[in-house]
């Protein structure tokens, strides 16, 4: 039995008929850049995220870059973020000329540890970027308190967390700006690269709209320098149709997560410490990934690959140890929880279409690996 990490073809089969007609109509219209199709998607996406303003952009990476540009983050500034995230979170801080300041994670949730944030703040701190990793919100209450007390804006990296909630509030609506990715593997995935920024602040929304198209206002007149961060109409159309299914797909992922919990507990793998399950804390976890913490991770990954089971390591190198950030001067051991997570975590298949039989196969393959007692490398 094959169990891919993600099966987008299975998802597409369920919506193909809804999508093909409108896509062909859009092609016939030859109107590909921004316009009504993008605006219609933005209106519904804003409603979904419970914010007044949402702007479609070219990717999650560009959403972060645009957010930092809109907040006027520049050389000499410091931006605090997690040392355990996808590269783009820190890459964008560097790209605007600011200095990424890393903080370790809470090992139970993989999200930014608020106490570490407090002690990392200096007179040069200009923004905080918590990441809602794997689909679960960071400890926003503490971070919002810090943000308010110190007057430092929060940019939520909600790339993996559309529809996630913390104390009843949706990801992307708690900080000054929310940044989303619609990379195909996300709960809401485009047919290519796409992203979105959200905000409650109308002035910031206007500024981001101008920066999204090279800073032009009106067209061909530039008071500020922006970029080409526009969302394609084709992607907006696909995303708009898929948005109607998002809650069902997310419920499916939550069901899969619950079932994994039962299967792992029944397998005996959890009690003996071979496997630790993800911990859902406050709020709505959308399970963009289902992350195990395991013993002998790399050997287990090879074993599962041989059994036709897809897995992935998110992420093998924490941000503070990336070669390109050597100039920041962080040494190994600086952030032990991020480093442990990079050594021990493994993402296993998670998507709404995953069958009970496939999940049983995954858990059984993991059980057999530990039962065989293959030697510690
Ligand atoms: C946490 C996080 N931030 C930012 C991004 C960047 O998004 P994109 O790939 O759409 O540029 C991603 C995408 O994987 C992500 O997971």
């Amino acid at each position: 039995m094959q169990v891919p990490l993600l099966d987008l073809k299975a998802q597409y089969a369920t919506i193909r008929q809804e999508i093909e007609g409108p896509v062909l109509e859009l092609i016939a219209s030859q109107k590909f850049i921004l316009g009504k199709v993008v605006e219609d998607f933005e209106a519904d996406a804003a409603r979904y995220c419970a914010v007044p303003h949402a702007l479609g952009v070219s990717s999650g990476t560009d959403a972060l870059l645009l957010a930092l540009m809109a907040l006027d983050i520049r050389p000499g500034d410091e931006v605090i973020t997690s040392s355990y995230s996808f590269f783009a979170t820190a890459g964008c801080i560097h790209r605007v000329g600011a200095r990424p300041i890393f903080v370790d994670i809470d090992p139970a949730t993989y999200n930014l540890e608020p106490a570490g944030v407090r002690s990392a703040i200096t007179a040069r701190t200009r923004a905080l970027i918590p990441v809602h990793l794997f689909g679960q919100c960071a400890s926003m209450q503490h971070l919002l308190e810090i943000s308010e007390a110190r007057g430092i804006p929060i940019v939520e990296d909600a790339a993996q967390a559309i529809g996630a909630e913390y104390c009843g509030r949706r990801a992307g609506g708690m900080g000054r700006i929310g940044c989303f990715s619609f990379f195909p593997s996300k709960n809401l995935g485009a047919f290519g690269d796409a992203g979105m920024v959200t905000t409650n602040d109308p002035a910031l929304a206007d500024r981001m709209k101008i920066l999204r198209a090279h800073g032009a206002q009106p067209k061909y007149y530039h008071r500020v320098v922006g970029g080409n961060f526009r969302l394609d109409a084709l992607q907006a159309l696909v995303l708009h149709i898929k948005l109607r299914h998002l809650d069902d797909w997310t419920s499916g992922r939550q069901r899969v997560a619950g079932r994994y919990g039962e299967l792992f507990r029944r397998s005996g793998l959890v009690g003996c410490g071979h496997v630790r399950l993800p911990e859902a804390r406050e709020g709505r976890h959308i399970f963009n990934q289902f992350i195990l913490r395991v013993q002998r991770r790399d050997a287990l990954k090879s074993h599962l690959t041989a059994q036709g089971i897809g897995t992935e390591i998110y992420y093998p190198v924490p941000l503070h140890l990336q070669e390109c950030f050597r100039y920041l001067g962080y040494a190994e051991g600086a952030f032990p929880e991020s480093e442990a997570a990079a050594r021990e975590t493994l993402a296993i298949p998670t998507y709404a279409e995953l069958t009970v039989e496939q999940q049983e196969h995954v858990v059984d393959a993991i059980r057999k690996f530990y039962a065989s007692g293959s030697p510690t490398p």
Side-chain angles (χ1 to χ4, degrees):
M1 184 190 287
Q2 295 292 310
V3 191
L5 182 66
L6 179 63
D7 189 352
L8 287 174
K9 284 187 181 165
Q11 183 190 77
Y12 183 53
T14 67
I15 53 168
R16 186 179 179 143
Q17 285 188 332
E18 258 175 278
I19 289 210
E20 281 181 351
V23 164
L24 288 176
E25 268 173 46
L26 186 91
I27 293 171
S29 81
Q30 292 289 297
K31 289 185 178 149
F32 296 123
I33 306 293
L34 296 177
K36 186 170 180 324
V37 176
V38 172
E39 285 164 16
D40 288 349
F41 166 64
E42 289 170 342
D44 277 347
R47 254 190 298 280
Y48 188 83
C49 295
V51 287
H53 308 282
L55 290 173
V57 296
S58 32
S59 68
T61 304
D62 285 344
L64 286 162
L65 192 59
L66 175 60
L68 295 178
M69 289 169 77
L71 293 174
D72 206 19
I73 309 293
R74 48 177 67 201
D77 294 341
E78 293 177 353
V79 177
I80 295 174
T81 194
S82 167
S83 49
Y84 190 65
S85 178
F86 178 63
F87 180 75
T89 316
C92 291
I93 300 171
H94 173 98
R95 285 173 67 192
V96 294
R99 192 176 180 86
I101 302 293
F102 295 118
V103 165
D104 212 352
I105 51 166
D106 173 342
T109 61
Y110 307 104
N111 283 329
L112 204 48
E113 177 56 70
V117 172
R118 226 176 243 118
S119 44
I121 290 175
T122 72
R124 290 180 299 279
T125 308
R126 292 288 316 280
L128 311 177
I129 311 186
V131 183
H132 305 319
L133 207 64
F134 304 137
Q136 174 164 235
C137 287
S139 264
M140 287 304 288
Q141 191 189 326
H142 296 111
L143 295 171
L144 287 165
E145 280 165 16
I146 296 170
S147 160
E148 265 167 45
R150 308 296 291 259
I152 302 167
I154 289 181
V155 173
E156 293 173 67
D157 184 340
Q160 303 183 6
I162 190 161
E165 286 177 8
Y166 179 90
C167 295
R169 296 177 73 186
R170 287 241 149 153
M174 293 178 270
R176 287 295 301 284
I177 301 174
C179 299
F180 293 87
S181 167
F182 301 129
F183 185 79
S185 65
K186 301 298 193 269
N187 286 35
L188 180 61
F191 286 0
D193 279 310
M196 179 172 79
V197 286
T198 51
T199 183
N200 292 297
D201 178 343
L204 207 44
D206 282 348
R207 185 167 160 75
M208 290 196 285
K209 200 167 189 174
I210 293 165
L211 288 169
R212 176 175 69 171
H214 292 293
Q217 191 200 36
K219 206 172 176 185
Y220 304 126
Y221 291 80
H222 304 259
R223 255 171 289 155
V224 288
V225 178
N228 176 358
F229 303 133
R230 296 175 304 233
L231 175 65
D232 288 351
L234 268 169
Q235 298 301 348
L237 181 70
V238 168
L239 289 165
H240 203 172
I241 294 168
K242 288 181 97 177
L243 183 60
R244 296 183 210 137
H245 300 272
L246 181 57
D247 277 334
D248 283 346
W249 290 332
T250 293
S251 304
R253 284 170 180 267
Q254 289 166 333
R255 197 169 49 243
V256 161
R259 215 151 53 199
Y260 269 139
E262 280 167 35
L263 291 169
F264 276 112
R265 274 186 283 273
R266 250 190 273 150
S267 73
L269 286 165
V270 177
C272 66
H274 288 313
V275 169
R276 264 187 285 160
L277 297 173
E279 275 184 39
R281 289 269 173 93
E282 308 93 343
R284 182 182 193 228
H285 193 326
I286 63 149
F287 287 100
N288 179 239
Q289 300 294 344
F290 191 90
I291 302 293
L292 298 177
R293 227 176 232 263
V294 294
Q295 293 174 335
R296 289 183 276 133
R297 192 264 316 271
D298 294 347
L300 173 64
K301 180 170 175 39
S302 305
H303 167 80
L304 294 177
T305 305
Q307 302 292 308
I309 296 167
T311 59
E312 189 53 274
I313 296 169
Y314 299 117
Y315 299 92
V317 182
L319 292 170
H320 65 288
L321 298 180
Q322 292 289 350
E323 202 174 326
C324 63
F325 291 137
R326 206 177 278 164
Y327 73 94
L328 295 171
Y330 293 104
E332 203 161 338
F335 301 118
E337 296 302 347
S338 298
E339 292 168 29
R343 280 192 306 272
E344 297 170 359
T345 53
L346 191 65
I348 59 172
T350 311
Y351 41 94
E353 298 78 14
L354 202 63
T355 64
V356 179
E357 292 72 29
Q358 285 175 310
Q359 285 194 264
E360 284 170 348
H361 180 60
V362 171
V363 176
D364 203 44
I366 296 175
R367 189 188 55 73
K368 283 186 180 135
F369 172 78
Y370 289 109
S372 74
S374 49
T376 306

